[in-house]
Amino acid sequence: MYELGLPESLHIAVPPKSEPQELFLLTVGTLGDVAAALSDTANDGVPLPPTAIDEVGFSASFFDAFLESRFSESISRDTALLASSAYYLARRPGSSMVLARRIQMDTDSSVDRLLHWVLSARWNEYPNDIHPFYGEAIHDVAKLLANHFYDGSGLTELTSAIDSLRHRAYEGGSARDLLFIDIIAAIAKLRVKASSWVTLPDFTGIPAEEWATAIRRRDFPKELWPSQILLGQAGLFSGKSGIVQMPTSAGKTRSVEIVLRSGFLSGRTRLAVVVAPFRALCHEISTSLRHAFKDDDVKVNELSDAIQLDFLDEIAEFIGEEATTSQYILALTPEKLLYVLRQTPTLVNDIGIVIYDEGHQFDSGSRGITYELLLTEIKGLLPTGAQTVLVSAVIQNAQAIAQWLMGDDAQVVGGRGLLPTARSVAFASWIERLGQLMFFESDNYDQHDYFVPRVIEQQALTGDGVVFPEKDNSKDISLYLGFRLVSQGAVAIFCGRKDTAANMAARAVEVFERGLTIPAPATSANQDELRRMKNLLGRHFGDASSITLAAALGVFVHHGTTPHGVRLSVEYAMQQGKINFVACTSTLAQGVNLPIRYLIVPGIHQAGEKIKVRDFQNLVGRAGRSGMHTEGLIIFSDPNVFDKRRSEHWRFRSSVDLLSSDRSESTTSSLLEIFAPFRSSDGKGLLRLPTEGLCSFILFGEDSWLAWANEVVRLNPKFKFKAQSLVTELRRRRKLIYAVESYLMANRGDGTYEDFRASAERLASATLAYHLASDDVKPNITGLFVSVAEYIHQNEPTAEKQAMYSKTLLGVKSAKAIESWVRDNREVLLSLKSNEDWLAQVWQLFSDLSDDKFFHAVEPKSLPIQLARLWIQGNSYNALFEVSSAARGTKPWGSKQRRQLTDEDLIGFCESTLGFDCCLILAAVAQFLFRDAKISDTTAAPLALFQKSLKYGLPDWLSISSYEYGFADRVVAQHLCSDVCAEGFTGHFFAPALRSHPKLIEAVLEQYPSYFESVLAGRVP
C-alpha cells in the first residue's frame, strides 16, 4: 500500500491477534540453521538441497516484505541485514546486493559491520576492528577475505580464521552475535568458493596468474553468480560448445565476456564473432565489450549494418597474406555477417568463437530464415575446434537446437530453478467505484492471495464529462497505475503496436494538460536529463509534438522505428536511473537491457495476434532486474480480464498461460510456414495445397495468383476467404524464399545442374527446419529446395553468375534485373556525382523491386521521392511531417478509403524502407557497377556516400563519420559537425575533430542526452 501511494488512513489494518512479527522465530531459525550447516567445515563444498534453498528463499521474501510494510521501523536495519543474507544464501546475489547497499551502518557493533561488509562485497577496504571479546578475530577474517579477493591468496588461513571466530562466538557470544557470525561464515565461504580466483583457473585450465590482470579490474566480477558457475561446470569457459538457456538478468553478459577472455588467453582464437539479431542489441553488446576489454590488446569492432563494402579495413589483417597477432571481436547483425562472408568467404577460417545472442529468433519471418541459413552455412565451414555458443532466455527445445547446430557433444546449460529476482502478478479489478489490484503469489490462479483496495480512482478533468482513467480503457488504467507507481521504481507499459505506444504519450500529455493532479513521472526523474531528452526530441519531431511534450512529463516511447539515437538515449537513461517511464512494444523483449521494476500489460495481443508465451517471458524478465531490484511486479490492467473470469474464462486463462514458462512455444523454423495451410480471415477455414504444387505455384505462378485467389473465394462461400488477403499471404511466402535462393546460389559449386539439384537436397537436410520436421514433412523441405534450384537455373543457368548474384543477398530474379539495369545505365551511373543525382536515377529501380506501399499506394505519387530527398539531405523528421501534411499525403485504408499518413508511417519509410530495403538494392547496384572496388576508390566514392546517406539520413562524409564513431543520432551528428566546421575544421572524418575541438564538442553534447557524453568518455583517443 505504501508502494501504491495510498495514505495510511486507507490501509487495511492487520487482523486482530495476527502479528507478522511472530514469523520471525520461524524465518530467523531457518536462516540460522542453513547458515550453521554451510559454515560447518565438514560440509564445505556440499550444496544446499533444493528444499533448504526454498526455505531460506521464503525467509528472504518475508524479511523483504516486512521491510516494505514498515511494521517496525526500529528493527529495519537488522531486518535488512537478515533479508540480504537470506537472499544470498538462497542463490540470489543480485537481490542481496540491492539491500546490502541500501543499509546505512551507523553502529558500534563490530559483528554488524563485518556482516554488512561481507554482504556489500567492497573488497578494496575492510573493517579494522579490535573487539573486547573477539579480539582480532573479526579483523583477521576481514583482512584475509579482502586479500583473497585482491590476489587469490589465503584460502587455508581464511578457513582457519572463520572457524576460530565461530568457535569464540559459540564459547561466549550473544545469541545475536552467534546468528550473525554463522551467517558471516556461511557467506564468506560461499563467496570464496565462487571467487573468480578459484573458479576461473579451475573451469578454464588457465593459471590464476594469467587471469590476475582481468580479475583485479574494478568492473570484472570478483565472484561468479550461480548461472555462471553452471556454465563453467559445463565446460563453456574452456571451449566447449553449447546453448545457454538462462533467465534474463542471470549474468549472461559477463558470461560472454569470460568465454571470450578464456578463448584469447588460451590461444584458441584471435577472432571472435558475436551475432545479435537487432541493431540496438548489437550496439549494446559492442559497447559493453569495448568497456570490458578497453585495457587489453583486443579490438572490439561493431560493424555498421549498412550492406556495403565498408568493413574491409576492419578485417584487413584477416584477409591479408600475413598472419595477424592482434585479437578481435566483431559484433554484427546476421544480415551483415552473411554479407561479409559472401564478400570475403575465407574469413570464416579465422573464427575461433562465434556467439549467437537472442538465438531463438529462427521463426521470425524472412529475417528468421536468414538467421537460420547463416548458422547452417557457418556450422559447416567453421574450423575444427571452434566454439559455438547460442544464448537465449526463452528457448524451449534447447536440446534439439543444440544437436542441430553443434552435434551430439553440445552442452545445454539450463537455468531452471535460478530465479535472479522474485516477481509478483496482479490483475486490475474495477467493479465498484474504486478499483483494486488482486495479487497472486503462487502458480495457483484459482484464488487470489491478497488484494490492495482503493488504488484506482477516476478524476474529473477539464472538459465536458472528461475523466481519467476511463473505466473500460485498459490503456488509461495502465497510465494511471504507472503514474502511481513510478516514484517507487521504473515503469514500462507494454503496447502491442507502435501507434499504441505513441498514443500513450499523447494521452499522457492530454490528461496533464486537462488538470490531472497525480504527480507526473518527471517529479521522480533527473531534471537535467529531461531537459536534454526534450531538446533532442524537439529537434527531431518539433517542440509541439506529443512525443516531445510527453518527455517534459517524464514519459517516453520505445519501439522498432524509434530513431536510433533516441532509442539509445532512452535505454541509457533508463539504465542509469535518470528516467523511469516508458511505453514500449516488444522491443523491450529483444535483449536490450531496460531495467524496470513494474511491467504493466493493457492487452496481450501484438499486431492483432496473441503475443507468444516465450516473448512474454522475455518481457517479464525485464521486471525486477537483478542487482537493481529485489522484486518485480507484472500488472494486467484490463479489469475485464479478472472481473469476467467466470463468464469469459478465456480472457483470464490466456493471460495466466503467458506467465508459465513451461507453456513457451518451441523454437521452430520460418521455412515451415511456407507449407502451412491458408486461413480464412475468421480463422475457421483452412485451405491446404499439395507441397510440390504449392512451391511451383509460389515460384512460377505469380501472374495467376489473383485469379486463383478469386476462385478460392468463389468455391468456399462458407468461409470468409478474401482474395487480396490470399495474394498478400502468397507474397509473404514468396519473400521467405528469397533467402533460400541466395543460400543455394552461394553454396552451388561449379558442377552441373544435376549436381546443383543434388546439392540442394543436401543443403536442405542441413537446415534447422529439416532437423525439427517430422518424417512426413522432411520431403517437403527437400522438395522446396529442389524447386528453388530449378527456379534459379531457369532464370540463370551459369554457376559463375549464380555465385555473383549470391553476394547481393537478393533472389536470382531481382539480382539479374539489377545487373541488367546497371549494364544498360552504366555510363550514366558512372557520371553521377551527388546524392540527389543518384536518388533521381535509381528511384524507378527501387519502385520496380520494392513492394512497399510508399512506392505504389501513397498519394500524391510525387511525395515519396520528395521525402527521400529531404531524408538524405539530413532534414529533421518534423520537416518531413510538415511536407507530408502540406501535400495531404494519404495511404489506402480498407478496400476503398484513404487515411492521412501518420508520423510512424513516415519514420518507418525512412528508417526501414529507405534505410534497409532500398540499401540492399543499392548494394547490388554497387556490386555490379564496381565489382570489388573499395569504398575509397575515387570512382566508387559518390555511390558509397549515397549508400551511407540513404542508410542514415545524413548528407556528407563528416556527419556520417560522426554517426558511425558513436554519436549515432542524425540531430547530434549534424550539430557536432556544423559547430566544428564553423570553427575551421575541414576534415571528412570526425576522430581528428575530437582532438582539435574537445571543448566545443563537450559544449554541444551538454545539450543532448547523457548517453552521448558516455560515448565521448569511452572513445576519446
Side-chain angles (χ1 to χ4, degrees):
M1 293 187 182
Y2 287 110
E3 189 174 13
L4 286 153
L6 286 178
E8 290 192 11
S9 61
L10 296 179
H11 286 202
I12 297 176
V14 176
K17 299 182 180 181
S18 176
E19 292 294 334
Q21 290 91 330
E22 292 176 357
L23 271 176
F24 260 89
L25 289 176
L26 172 64
T27 51
V28 170
T30 299
L31 175 59
D33 289 346
V34 168
L38 288 169
S39 301
D40 191 340
T41 304
N43 293 333
D44 191 29
V46 179
L48 283 175
T51 54
I53 291 175
D54 290 342
E55 289 169 359
V56 78
F58 170 78
S59 296
S61 297
F62 167 75
F63 295 136
D64 198 358
F66 192 89
L67 276 173
E68 292 293 324
S69 300
R70 306 181 192 176
F71 281 123
S72 180
E73 299 284 356
S74 62
I75 60 170
S76 61
R77 191 193 68 203
D78 286 359
T79 306
L81 285 170
L82 293 172
S84 178
S85 302
Y87 274 132
Y88 189 86
L89 298 184
R91 300 197 302 174
R92 286 165 59 181
S95 295
S96 172
M97 189 66 68
V98 169
L99 289 178
R101 295 190 172 174
R102 287 180 189 166
I103 300 172
Q104 299 296 318
M105 288 302 295
D106 50 351
T107 178
D108 294 331
S109 170
S110 300
V111 174
D112 286 22
R113 283 201 298 270
L114 180 61
L115 175 57
H116 181 245
W117 177 75
V118 170
L119 289 167
S120 301
R122 293 191 171 103
W123 309 123
N124 57 317
E125 57 183 7
Y126 58 90
N128 190 17
D129 291 344
I130 307 298
H131 192 274
F133 178 72
Y134 298 109
E136 295 188 355
I138 289 175
H139 165 269
D140 291 345
V141 169
K143 180 180 179 181
L144 288 166
L145 195 55
N147 286 344
H148 171 77
F149 280 103
Y150 176 74
D151 59 15
S153 65
L155 289 178
T156 302
E157 295 86 347
L158 176 59
T159 300
S160 177
I162 290 172
D163 290 343
S164 295
L165 178 60
R166 286 190 73 220
H167 180 73
R168 186 67 172 151
Y170 274 82
E171 277 187 337
S174 67
R176 187 175 187 281
D177 281 358
L178 182 59
L179 171 66
F180 278 18
I181 286 173
D182 267 348
I183 293 172
I184 290 166
I187 293 174
K189 288 188 174 185
L190 288 177
R191 285 202 184 279
V192 168
K193 185 180 175 184
S195 160
S196 296
W197 293 101
V198 173
T199 54
L200 291 182
D202 182 42
F203 289 151
T204 65
I206 300 169
E209 295 76 18
E210 295 185 35
W211 278 106
T213 301
I215 294 174
R216 287 198 180 105
R217 289 185 182 137
R218 184 171 63 89
D219 294 329
F220 191 83
K222 301 301 181 284
E223 67 176 283
L224 302 191
W225 281 18
S227 61
Q228 294 161 341
I229 289 173
L230 290 177
L231 296 182
Q233 292 170 340
L236 267 69
F237 294 157
S238 60
K240 286 189 177 181
S241 295
I243 288 183
V244 179
Q245 185 189 16
M246 293 291 180
T248 300
S249 76
K252 295 190 294 292
T253 302
R254 286 299 188 188
S255 298
V256 167
E257 179 189 343
I258 294 170
V259 167
L260 295 171
R261 283 193 182 278
S262 174
F264 291 143
L265 287 173
S266 66
R268 284 187 281 111
T269 189
R270 290 191 298 273
L271 174 62
V273 172
V274 182
V275 184
F278 310 106
R279 179 169 62 158
L281 183 54
C282 261
H283 182 79
E284 182 177 279
I285 290 169
S286 63
T287 299
S288 171
L289 292 176
R290 192 177 292 117
H291 177 77
F293 287 96
K294 65 181 178 181
D295 296 321
D296 298 278
D297 184 24
V298 176
K299 299 177 182 178
V300 180
N301 292 316
E302 177 192 358
L303 299 190
S304 80
D305 61 337
I307 304 299
Q308 64 185 103
L309 287 170
D310 60 351
F311 56 85
L312 295 178
D313 290 339
E314 306 282 3
I315 63 170
E317 293 186 51
F318 290 98
I319 58 177
E321 295 183 0
E322 297 183 7
T324 179
T325 58
S326 300
Q327 295 170 332
Y328 282 82
I329 300 171
L330 300 181
L332 65 179
T333 61
E335 291 85 357
K336 184 68 174 195
L337 178 56
L338 188 59
Y339 186 74
V340 169
L341 293 178
R342 293 285 167 82
Q343 315 306 313
T344 55
T346 58
L347 181 68
V348 75
N349 299 325
D350 293 295
I351 298 175
I353 299 174
V354 58
I355 297 172
Y356 302 104
D357 200 5
E358 293 295 299
H360 56 277
Q361 295 283 342
F362 303 122
D363 49 8
S364 55
S366 59
R367 291 199 71 202
I369 292 177
T370 297
Y371 204 4
E372 174 185 345
L373 296 180
L374 168 69
L375 270 65
T376 305
E377 194 166 327
I378 288 179
K379 75 186 180 81
L381 298 174
L382 281 174
T384 302
Q387 181 181 18
T388 298
V389 178
L390 187 146
V391 181
S392 172
V394 293
I395 197 164
Q396 185 76 350
N397 50 335
Q399 193 65 56
I401 304 296
Q403 188 179 41
W404 164 70
L405 184 60
M406 308 161 198
D408 294 334
D409 295 331
Q411 302 293 307
V412 174
V413 187
R416 186 175 296 275
L418 290 178
L419 184 64
T421 309
R423 296 184 181 96
S424 300
V425 177
F427 289 82
S429 173
W430 199 353
I431 297 175
E432 301 176 349
R433 186 179 70 85
L434 300 178
Q436 54 193 350
L437 291 180
M438 318 303 290
F439 280 80
F440 295 82
E441 293 286 345
S442 68
D443 293 334
N444 179 11
Y445 290 93
D446 293 331
Q447 177 63 41
H448 62 274
D449 294 296
Y450 61 93
F451 67 97
V452 179
R454 302 184 286 267
V455 296
I456 308 172
E457 182 176 9
Q458 278 186 339
Q459 179 180 335
L461 305 179
T462 58
D464 187 18
V466 178
V467 295
F468 178 81
E470 295 178 356
K471 198 166 185 177
D472 292 324
N473 188 331
S474 62
K475 301 177 186 64
D476 261 17
I477 297 170
S478 294
L479 282 171
Y480 179 88
L481 291 171
F483 296 157
R484 294 286 297 266
L485 288 166
V486 71
S487 63
Q488 303 296 315
V491 171
I493 299 177
F494 168 68
C495 304
R497 294 162 50 104
K498 291 178 284 189
D499 57 352
T500 303
N503 289 338
M504 284 280 189
R507 179 62 169 162
V509 172
E510 178 192 358
V511 297
F512 279 106
E513 286 181 345
R514 289 181 178 272
L516 183 66
T517 57
I518 298 174
T523 58
S524 52
N526 181 287
Q527 299 304 304
D528 184 56
E529 190 69 15
L530 293 183
R531 171 188 64 82
R532 293 164 176 255
M533 292 291 296
K534 183 173 180 291
N535 181 47
L536 177 64
L537 292 167
R539 290 179 179 242
H540 271 294
F541 306 120
D543 292 335
S545 162
S546 61
I547 298 293
T548 307
L549 296 173
L553 298 170
V555 176
F556 296 88
V557 173
H558 185 285
H559 54 65
T561 54
T562 298
H564 188 53
V566 175
R567 281 185 63 164
L568 295 173
S569 298
V570 169
E571 291 161 10
Y572 181 81
M574 290 283 286
Q575 290 161 8
Q576 300 300 312
K578 294 175 182 287
I579 63 173
N580 50 19
F581 197 106
V582 61
C584 56
T585 59
S586 58
T587 52
L588 183 66
Q590 291 175 354
V592 175
N593 177 19
L594 286 185
I596 59 172
R597 184 173 181 181
Y598 304 103
L599 174 65
I600 304 178
V601 185
I604 61 173
H605 286 81
Q606 184 175 14
E609 296 184 359
K610 181 184 172 185
I611 187 172
K612 290 181 178 179
V613 175
R614 73 173 194 216
D615 289 342
F616 192 80
Q617 288 292 313
N618 232 351
L619 280 170
V620 166
R622 304 302 187 254
R625 191 80 181 181
S626 183
M628 302 189 75
H629 307 288
T630 62
E631 184 180 53
L633 174 60
I634 299 98
I635 301 175
F636 292 90
S637 64
D638 184 354
N640 289 325
V641 173
F642 184 84
D643 294 337
K644 296 182 179 180
R645 66 193 184 284
R646 308 297 184 202
S647 60
E648 298 179 8
H649 181 70
W650 61 271
R651 291 178 186 269
F652 186 71
R653 191 72 256 164
S654 294
S655 299
V656 167
D657 287 347
L658 293 174
L659 296 166
S660 173
S661 59
D662 292 337
R663 292 182 177 271
S664 289
E665 302 85 358
S666 293
T667 296
T668 182
S669 165
S670 286
L671 282 171
L672 299 175
E673 295 176 21
I674 296 169
F675 314 113
F678 292 80
R679 289 183 177 273
S680 60
S681 58
D682 60 0
K684 297 179 180 179
L686 294 179
L687 177 67
R688 300 180 186 276
L689 297 182
T691 301
E692 184 177 349
L694 174 62
C695 293
S696 297
F697 183 51
I698 292 174
L699 288 167
F700 297 99
E702 185 171 354
D703 293 341
S704 59
W705 285 357
L706 183 57
W708 168 81
N710 285 325
E711 188 68 3
V712 169
V713 172
R714 187 184 69 80
L715 293 174
N716 296 274
K718 293 182 179 179
F719 302 111
K720 294 182 179 180
F721 283 107
K722 295 180 180 178
Q724 192 55 52
S725 297
L726 290 168
V727 171
T728 299
E729 176 60 17
L730 283 169
R731 188 171 290 116
R732 186 188 73 84
R733 298 188 191 199
R734 180 64 185 90
K735 288 180 71 174
L736 295 179
I737 297 175
Y738 286 139
V740 179
E741 292 181 46
S742 180
Y743 175 63
L744 290 181
M745 290 190 291
N747 294 277
R748 184 217 193 285
D750 299 325
T752 64
Y753 171 59
E754 287 69 25
D755 295 332
F756 186 22
R757 285 177 60 94
S759 173
E761 293 186 19
R762 177 180 54 80
L763 292 169
S765 67
T767 63
L768 174 64
Y770 191 91
H771 182 79
L772 296 177
S774 59
D775 289 341
D776 59 330
V777 174
K778 285 179 178 178
N780 297 347
I781 300 167
T782 304
L784 168 65
F785 275 56
V786 171
S787 294
V788 173
E790 180 183 349
Y791 176 80
I792 292 169
H793 183 76
Q794 285 193 17
N795 280 275
E796 179 48 64
T798 65
E800 182 181 359
K801 281 286 187 74
Q802 291 174 16
M804 184 194 309
Y805 292 167
S806 73
K807 293 184 177 183
T808 69
L809 308 189
L810 297 170
V812 61
K813 203 168 184 178
S814 296
K816 193 175 184 70
I818 294 170
E819 180 190 35
S820 176
W821 182 85
V822 169
R823 184 174 56 249
D824 294 343
N825 295 275
R826 185 174 186 81
E827 295 305 317
V828 174
L829 296 176
L830 290 172
S831 69
L832 301 175
K833 301 299 182 186
S834 70
N835 282 343
E836 287 72 17
D837 290 344
W838 265 105
L839 182 66
Q841 188 66 32
V842 82
W843 189 256
Q844 187 58 51
L845 182 67
F846 290 163
S847 180
D848 291 343
L849 296 180
S850 173
D851 58 3
D852 188 90
K853 67 184 178 186
F854 262 83
F855 289 107
H856 307 289
V858 164
E859 293 181 359
K861 296 192 179 300
S862 60
L863 179 60
I865 192 171
Q866 187 179 3
L867 295 172
R869 191 175 296 114
L870 293 170
W871 167 253
I872 64 175
Q873 290 170 354
N875 285 276
S876 70
Y877 282 114
N878 188 43
L880 274 67
F881 299 160
E882 290 177 350
V883 166
S884 178
S885 178
R888 298 184 179 180
T890 63
K891 63 182 178 181
W893 187 261
S895 58
K896 297 180 180 179
Q897 295 179 315
R898 300 190 68 82
R899 283 197 175 180
Q900 183 177 353
L901 290 168
T902 66
D903 293 354
E904 285 71 34
D905 290 330
L906 300 175
I907 295 172
F909 173 60
C910 294
E911 296 272 350
S912 181
T913 305
L914 297 179
F916 184 80
D917 296 343
C918 291
C919 283
L920 201 59
I921 296 170
L922 207 55
V925 171
Q927 178 181 314
F928 293 126
L929 187 60
F930 296 114
R931 303 295 184 196
D932 298 323
K934 286 189 177 181
I935 197 169
S936 57
D937 290 352
T938 304
T939 53
L943 176 52
L945 172 60
F946 179 54
Q947 287 179 276
K948 294 283 190 181
S949 293
L950 196 65
K951 174 70 181 174
Y952 301 131
L954 292 168
D956 52 52
W957 281 118
L958 183 59
S959 59
I960 290 166
S961 174
S962 173
Y963 188 102
E964 292 188 339
Y965 194 81
F967 304 109
D969 181 87
R970 299 173 69 234
V971 166
V972 175
Q974 290 185 89
H975 192 167
L976 287 169
C977 295
S978 174
D979 279 22
V980 297
C981 289
E983 290 295 318
F985 184 76
T986 58
H988 290 299
F989 298 98
F990 193 73
L994 289 172
R995 294 186 289 270
S996 61
H997 296 78
K999 296 298 182 184
L1000 178 61
I1001 290 170
E1002 289 174 6
V1004 171
L1005 295 183
E1006 284 177 358
Q1007 304 173 47
Y1008 293 105
S1010 55
Y1011 165 76
F1012 298 103
E1013 290 181 327
S1014 76
V1015 171
L1016 181 65
R1019 297 298 296 268
V1020 170

